[in-house]
Amino acid sequence: SVSVDFYVRVFVRVFSSPSAVKRSASKQSYLYQCHGCESFTLAQVGKVVTKGTSTKFAPGSAPPVDTSCRHCGRQHHIAGPIWSDALHDVRAV
């Protein structure tokens, strides 16, 4: 028999303020993917609204897609939430 070990290095950032945690919802999205042509659309979980010096956090809007695909007419599948912002910091890479 063969035994192989795999190791993964994970970098984790711990959010230390409530506003940073609330801001992370604006970086996540639900995925709506067509069952036929596999086109997809992302819908944000939350959004950040800034007016002057005031910052408010709001839930995301309704899905930006219709019940059927505009390209082929088939139904959409829903997945997520997934991370839809940058995956790494260019300065760290």
Side-chain angles (χ1 to χ4, degrees):
S1 85
V2 175
S3 175
V4 179
D5 293 329
F6 293 96
Y7 298 93
V8 177
R9 181 177 288 179
V10 178
F11 295 94
V12 178
R13 177 179 291 173
V14 177
F15 295 110
S16 58
S17 69
S19 65
V21 173
K22 291 177 185 177
R23 191 175 303 278
S24 71
S26 68
K27 299 176 183 181
Q28 299 175 37
S29 297
Y30 286 102
L31 176 94
Y32 293 86
Q33 185 172 15
C34 174
H35 184 66
C37 65
E38 297 190 10
S39 63
F40 67 91
T41 304
L42 297 174
Q44 282 187 316
V45 173
K47 58 185 174 182
V48 180
V49 180
T50 304
K51 291 183 181 177
T53 58
S54 174
T55 301
K56 296 192 180 216
F57 303 96
S61 302
V65 295
D66 200 4
T67 55
S68 60
C69 177
R70 64 183 176 140
H71 303 290
C72 69
R74 304 273 307 262
Q75 290 185 336
H76 287 99
H77 290 273
I78 301 172
I82 63 169
W83 190 262
S84 58
D85 201 42
L87 292 177
H88 62 278
D89 186 0
V90 177
R91 296 172 294 168
V93 177

